[in-house]
């Protein structure tokens, strides 16, 4: 299922891997969650049209990391779309390797960012995964896919 459908509420019973920033602010998101130093934990793409930043939401303590995405298309007053990428269970990640990200651009699908992450599997145990996030700043579409990491 596409994340666009999730954003539109097509599957209300499931947690959303992409959450609008307004919903995040309503749930207590604080801009202070951007991990410092900012120059090491944020990046821009597409001539600055897309900005990403690693977030440490502090809670839940075992899975606090998420990814903030600002992207086009811009609205009528010039604002960018703002979303937060999290794990499919609605929590964050136990670890999000921002420096280990890769990127690729396809003119049809847009920018794909890939991050090594650790996800919680119970108690203090985690498992390695790779998340791929497709961002199309022309359409505003965001999709995410999580796969087990190759060892």
């Amino acid at each position: 299922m596409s994340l666009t459908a999730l954003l539109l509420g097509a599957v209300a019973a499931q947690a959303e891997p992409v959450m609008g920033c307004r919903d995040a602010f309503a749930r207590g998101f604080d801009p202070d969650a951007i991990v410092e130093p900012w120059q090491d934990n944020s990046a821009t793409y597409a001539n600055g049209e897309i900005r990403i930043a690693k977030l440490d939401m502090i809670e839940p303590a075992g899975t606090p990391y998420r990814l903030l995405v600002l992207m086009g298309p811009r609205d009528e007053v010039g604002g960018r779309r703002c979303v937060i990428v999290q794990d499919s269970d609605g929590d964050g990640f136990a670890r999000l390797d921002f420096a280990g990200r890769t990127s690729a651009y396809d003119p049809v699908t847009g920018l794909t960012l890939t991050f090594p992450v650790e996800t919680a599997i119970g108690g203090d145990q985690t498992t390695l995964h790779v998340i791929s996030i497709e961002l199309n700043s022309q359409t505003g579409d965001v999709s995410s896919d999580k796969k087990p990491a190759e060892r």
Side-chain angles (χ1 to χ4, degrees), residues 3-81:
L3 293 180
T4 303
L6 288 173
L7 287 172
L8 295 175
V11 183
Q14 294 181 353
E16 298 176 8
V18 175
M19 175 189 342
C21 287
R22 288 179 192 235
D23 292 334
F25 283 120
R27 295 181 188 178
F29 167 72
D30 184 342
D32 189 42
I34 297 173
V35 177
E36 298 212 32
W38 287 14
Q39 64 271 19
D40 295 341
N41 293 290
S42 68
T44 60
Y45 296 89
N47 297 319
E49 189 60 24
I50 298 172
R51 175 172 294 280
I52 60 170
K54 180 179 179 179
L55 300 176
D56 180 350
M57 305 287 281
I58 302 171
E59 292 292 336
T63 56
Y65 298 106
R66 292 170 172 80
L67 186 71
L68 173 73
V69 177
L70 298 171
M71 60 181 281
R74 291 185 180 267
D75 63 20
E76 59 277 354
V77 294
R80 291 181 283 189
R81 179 167 185 221

Side-chain angles (χ1 to χ4, degrees), residues 83-146:
V83 297
I84 295 176
V85 178
Q86 55 193 4
D87 201 4
S88 57
D89 64 3
D91 284 338
F93 302 100
R95 186 177 70 84
L96 189 149
D97 184 358
F98 195 84
R101 75 188 178 281
T102 60
S103 64
Y105 177 75
D106 179 302
V108 175
T109 59
L111 177 67
T112 299
L113 300 172
T114 305
F115 294 85
V117 297
E118 287 183 31
T119 58
I121 57 173
D124 291 338
Q125 295 182 323
T126 62
T127 187
L128 297 173
H129 283 91
V130 174
I131 59 166
S132 295
I133 305 160
E134 286 188 4
L135 308 169
N136 188 321
S137 61
Q138 299 299 313
T139 64
D141 290 338
V142 178
S143 65
S144 176
D145 185 38
K146 180 177 75 172

